[in-house]
Amino acid sequence: MALVISDMSISLDGYVTGPNDSRENPFGDGADTLHDWIFDDPTEADRALMREGMDSTGAVIMGRTSFDKCVDMWGENGPMRGVPVFVVTHHEPTERYPSAYTFVTDGVAKAIELAKEAAGDKVVGLHGATVMQQALPLGLVDEIFVHVVPLLLGAGTPLFGSLGSAITLERADAVVTPRATHLRFRVVKTEA
Amino acid sequence: MALVISDMSISLDGYVTGPNDSRENPFGDGADTLHDWIFDDPTEADRALMREGMDSTGAVIMGRTSFDKCVDMWGENGPMRGVPVFVVTHHEPTERYPSAYTFVTDGVAKAIELAKEAAGDKVVGLHGATVMQQALPLGLVDEIFVHVVPLLLGAGTPLFGSLGSAITLERADAVVTPRATHLRFRVVKTEA
């Protein structure tokens, strides 16, 4: 069964975007370097992690807010070259989008179910803060992969926010590159 | 001149204590394992980091809230065996405390000035979230040392909170032990 992995770049103070993020400014103010390990100046170790993520991911889940901000940037193939994307939303958009995108109106658990079917034996990637914060307390997240970038954003969208109860993790991997500290954790125990 | 280093254990979601922290429960709910790398089950690498921190620190600064919670636990020598502690507070306490503790009523900048004098060529350690959040935007913090523990607390006192503006860091060191990921950053640029 496909593992569900939250996979996000974060600033040291835990933000996934800076303030004033929008369709025109998808990363938000001050967050230009947040994705340097992917786009701008990756080292060989960064590239290997990115390739591994690309190769292992069979479906992506994201929230409507992330989708609206990022779809222009990604275009018709989505963030991962044709990997199906399930967008959790309250209402189907009226605009038509490419077939890579499926809109799910009955919650994150349903989106995860559909994404797991689509992913087969590959991984389901949770992209964005909202879907992770919804899925984690439901016990639906298997791993959390963060790429901690040497930057304090000071404001913006926090990856974890206030989850409300403690969750025990186990660090599964740590890769230190000049651009980021890549930390992978298994979710051990979710206190309901 | 003494470097000023914020040195704190944090959960992956950035909290330094769990919820309901108090004099009787100084670490807060769910945060028992946050200091395992120091107290409970350190590895040799953890011990070496702790010793290095002890040996290099010439003065400690903390806020009144942290002080009130922790003083019973520490006793008369303070957190670091006689290293002078400067407590930033609005009002001098009426209770008498051991001479290791000095109360500073005119702000964190003054406390840092006094602590630097006391530290000589050793380091000034900032302990607690409030003093760090006050000192960092003033450009008074040279390094940030976090010990990231595999745990989500979900609530409590955040180390960084909402600083309000972006600050560029440079990762100076990364030590991965089974208990924690120890990351040291230099503060490169504070946008005023």
Side-chain angles (χ1 to χ4, degrees):
Chain A
M1 196 60 170
L3 287 178
V4 177
I5 303 182
S6 164
D7 189 342
M8 295 297 289
S9 299
I10 60 173
S11 60
L12 181 62
D13 50 351
Y15 293 102
V16 297
T17 60
N20 304 313
D21 52 334
S22 67
R23 202 155 181 159
E24 292 73 37
N25 180 23
F27 301 148
D29 294 347
D32 300 337
T33 61
L34 199 56
H35 301 87
D36 275 6
W37 73 273
I38 303 173
F39 299 120
D40 196 62
D41 192 16
T43 65
E44 190 42 51
D46 295 312
R47 274 185 227 277
L49 282 170
M50 190 61 201
R51 267 197 309 267
E52 196 188 307
M54 285 286 205
D55 292 347
S56 64
T57 303
V60 167
I61 294 176
M62 56 179 27
R64 182 65 186 273
T65 310
S66 301
F67 170 79
D68 283 344
K69 276 183 302 192
C70 298
V71 63
D72 287 348
M73 182 168 64
W74 290 329
E76 66 178 39
N77 289 321
M80 287 194 157
R81 303 189 201 121
V83 169
V85 179
F86 295 85
V87 182
V88 182
T89 180
H90 290 293
H91 306 284
E92 286 255 3
T94 47
E95 201 178 331
R96 284 284 208 127
Y97 286 102
S99 63
Y101 300 100
T102 303
F103 296 88
V104 181
T105 54
D106 34 8
V108 73
K110 183 67 182 176
I112 288 176
E113 190 188 315
L114 294 171
K116 281 185 166 186
E117 279 169 27
D121 56 0
K122 289 191 165 186
V123 154
V124 172
L126 282 183
H127 293 204
T130 310
V131 286
M132 202 279 280
Q133 290 175 27
Q134 290 171 341
L136 191 60
L138 298 173
L140 297 175
V141 178
D142 299 298
E143 294 187 3
I144 297 170
F145 199 11
V146 288
H147 314 277
V148 184
V149 173
L151 172 70
L152 295 168
L153 280 170
T157 304
L159 176 57
F160 296 108
S162 297
L163 292 164
S165 60
I167 294 171
T168 305
L169 308 174
E170 183 180 78
R171 199 188 54 220
D173 200 15
V175 177
V176 177
T177 74
R179 303 280 167 270
T181 312
H182 307 274
L183 301 174
R184 189 191 292 269
F185 298 89
R186 273 188 287 271
V187 178
V188 177
K189 206 176 74 181
T190 310
E191 290 178 21
Chain B
M1 197 59 169
L3 287 178
V4 177
I5 303 183
S6 165
D7 189 341
M8 295 297 288
S9 299
I10 60 173
S11 60
L12 181 62
D13 50 350
Y15 293 102
V16 297
T17 60
N20 305 313
D21 51 335
S22 67
R23 201 156 180 158
E24 292 71 38
N25 180 24
F27 300 148
D29 294 346
D32 300 337
T33 60
L34 199 56
H35 301 87
D36 275 5
W37 73 274
I38 303 173
F39 299 120
D40 195 62
D41 191 17
T43 65
E44 189 41 51
D46 295 312
R47 275 185 225 275
L49 281 170
M50 190 62 202
R51 268 197 308 269
E52 196 187 307
M54 286 285 205
D55 292 347
S56 63
T57 303
V60 167
I61 294 175
M62 56 179 26
R64 181 64 187 274
T65 310
S66 301
F67 170 79
D68 283 343
K69 277 183 302 193
C70 298
V71 64
D72 287 346
M73 182 169 60
W74 290 328
E76 65 178 38
N77 288 321
M80 288 193 155
R81 302 189 202 121
V83 169
V85 179
F86 295 85
V87 182
V88 182
T89 180
H90 290 293
H91 307 284
E92 286 255 3
T94 48
E95 201 179 330
R96 284 284 207 127
Y97 287 102
S99 63
Y101 300 101
T102 303
F103 296 89
V104 181
T105 54
D106 35 8
V108 73
K110 183 66 183 177
I112 289 176
E113 190 187 315
L114 295 171
K116 281 184 166 186
E117 280 170 27
D121 56 1
K122 288 192 166 186
V123 155
V124 173
L126 283 182
H127 293 204
T130 310
V131 286
M132 203 278 280
Q133 290 176 27
Q134 290 171 341
L136 191 60
L138 298 173
L140 297 175
V141 178
D142 299 297
E143 293 187 3
I144 296 171
F145 199 11
V146 288
H147 314 276
V148 183
V149 173
L151 172 69
L152 294 168
L153 280 170
T157 304
L159 176 56
F160 297 107
S162 297
L163 292 164
S165 60
I167 294 172
T168 305
L169 307 174
E170 183 179 79
R171 200 189 53 223
D173 201 14
V175 177
V176 178
T177 74
R179 303 281 166 268
T181 312
H182 307 273
L183 301 174
R184 188 191 293 271
F185 298 88
R186 274 188 286 271
V187 178
V188 177
K189 207 176 74 181
T190 309
E191 290 178 21

